């Protein structure tokens, strides 16, 4: 007599359904662990006052517009027009700010200390040089950093003040870094509507066409050549300022004191 058992088709189908359900549950648990792990890492980094670590170059090959001709916006400075300067050109000191539009720590700095940073530039204490990056697109997936930076280039082409206002609007409305909301051109254009006079026909076309996507890629290349290993990084006359410590961005008084210490 054979020891082989004949399997009931209904039983077999039920077992397959159970196996499929178990696999789906395992996949869901793994997905939740990844998401929670990423969030926990961000919280731990924030608690330690650590900048968002640069994870390597953000490739732009997946963004077709980045393969177009390199067109630098008006009002740029630095190598190949990759630096954005705000403030009086003859200011005696230079504040360098290294940021990524998707970086949550950059958002904390800008929304906490940003007004003081701008005031000191406006009164001539220093000029600001923005060095922007898109590395979080590679670290977290998506194209939000590149799309936001390209749109910032379109704003810069309209004027330095327009760039600065748009820069501030982006940080004031920054989505969770795991979200790629900034990758939606229509969302970017909606935010641009908060800057009076920014949404000219030329600006809208440049954002929709990705005119400054190749420039954004070049800006990121220059960022990667720096010695900066995390964002935000702020340097005054080459000296790094501790603008994010113990999970908090520097206050008005703390930042002003750091500036005075360097400038005398």
């Amino acid at each position: 007599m054979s020891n082989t058992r004949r399997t009931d088709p209904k039983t077999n189908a039920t077992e397959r359904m159970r196996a499929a359900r178990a696999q789906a549950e395992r996949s869901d648990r793994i997905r939740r662990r990844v998401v929670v792990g990423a969030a926990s890492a961000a919280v731990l980094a924030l608690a330690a006052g650590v900048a968002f670590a640069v994870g390597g170059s953000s490739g732009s090959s997946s963004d077709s517009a980045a393969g177009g001709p390199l067109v630098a916006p008006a009002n740029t400075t630095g190598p190949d027009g990759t630096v954005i300067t705000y403030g009086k050109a003859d200011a005696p000191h230079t504040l360098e700010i290294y940021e990524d539009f998707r970086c949550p720590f950059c958002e904390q700095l800008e929304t906490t200390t940003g007004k003081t940073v701008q005031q000191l530039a406006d009164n001539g204490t220093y000029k600001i040089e923005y060095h922007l990056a898109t590395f979080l697109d590679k670290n977290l997936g998506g194209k939000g950093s590149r799309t936001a930076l390209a749109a910032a280039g379109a704003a810069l082409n309209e004027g330095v003040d327009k760039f600065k206002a748009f820069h501030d609007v982006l940080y004031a409305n920054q989505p969770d870094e795991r979200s790629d909301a900034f990758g939606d051109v229509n969302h970017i254009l909606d935010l641009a509507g908060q800057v009076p006079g920014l949404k000219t026909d030329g600006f809208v076309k440049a954002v929709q066409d990705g005119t400054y996507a190749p420039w954004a890629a070049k800006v990121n290349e220059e960022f990667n050549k720096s010695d900066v290993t995390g964002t935000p990084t702020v340097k005054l006359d080459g000296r790094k300022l501790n603008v994010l410590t113990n999970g908090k961005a520097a206050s008005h008084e703390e930042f002003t004191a750091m500036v005075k210490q360097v400038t005398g």
Side-chain angles (χ1 to χ4, degrees):
M1 180 180 294
S2 172
N3 291 326
T4 302
R5 290 189 302 174
R6 184 176 178 180
T7 304
D8 185 341
K10 291 184 179 180
T11 301
N12 198 30
T14 300
E15 290 176 351
R16 286 199 300 271
M17 290 176 63
R18 287 175 178 170
R21 187 181 302 113
Q23 179 61 41
E25 290 175 351
R26 282 195 297 272
S27 298
D28 187 57
R29 285 196 299 271
I30 292 170
R31 180 190 62 79
R32 287 199 301 270
R33 282 199 297 270
V34 170
V35 172
V36 172
S40 299
V43 169
L44 289 172
L46 182 59
V50 178
F52 213 108
V54 176
S57 172
S58 174
S60 56
S61 59
S62 62
D63 194 3
S64 59
L70 175 61
V71 179
N75 307 305
T76 56
T77 59
D80 296 317
T82 54
V83 179
I84 301 166
T85 301
Y86 175 87
K88 300 176 181 179
D90 60 351
H93 304 281
T94 300
L95 187 79
E96 298 173 273
I97 300 180
Y98 294 80
E99 295 179 319
D100 185 311
F101 281 119
R102 289 179 72 181
C103 169
F105 306 109
C106 299
E107 180 272 336
Q108 184 184 108
L109 175 67
E110 290 293 347
T111 57
T112 302
T113 321
K115 288 185 179 180
T116 302
V117 172
Q118 179 174 338
Q119 286 170 357
L120 291 174
D122 290 341
N123 70 19
T125 299
Y126 51 65
K127 60 181 176 291
I128 303 173
E129 290 185 351
Y130 288 98
H131 302 266
L132 299 170
T134 63
F135 68 90
L136 281 176
D137 285 348
K138 179 177 180 180
N139 289 8
L140 301 170
K143 58 180 182 178
S145 294
R146 298 197 304 277
T147 304
L149 179 50
L156 181 62
N157 195 63
E158 299 290 323
V160 176
D161 289 344
K162 291 291 191 293
F163 159 79
K164 183 63 171 65
F166 184 55
H167 163 278
D168 294 350
V169 165
L170 287 174
Y171 279 116
N173 294 274
Q174 186 192 74
D176 184 288
E177 72 271 15
R178 290 164 293 168
S179 164
D180 197 34
F182 279 173
D184 181 351
V185 168
N186 290 326
H187 179 57
I188 290 289
L189 288 173
D190 285 342
L191 293 177
Q194 297 184 28
V195 180
L198 176 57
K199 289 184 69 174
T200 64
D201 291 343
F203 171 82
V204 172
K205 187 177 190 314
V207 173
Q208 291 176 336
D209 293 349
T211 301
Y212 298 109
W215 170 80
K218 187 67 176 178
V219 170
N220 185 64
E221 286 179 16
E222 288 300 318
F223 178 96
N224 288 334
K225 294 177 183 178
S226 72
D227 61 354
V228 170
T229 58
T231 56
T233 291
V234 178
K235 299 179 181 180
L236 181 56
D237 293 345
R239 289 181 57 180
K240 186 176 179 180
L241 305 183
N242 294 320
V243 295
L244 188 71
T245 56
N246 298 322
K248 294 182 179 180
S251 67
H252 165 81
E253 293 78 13
E254 290 168 338
F255 183 78
T256 302
M258 284 188 278
V259 170
K260 288 182 177 179
Q261 186 176 16
V262 175
T263 62

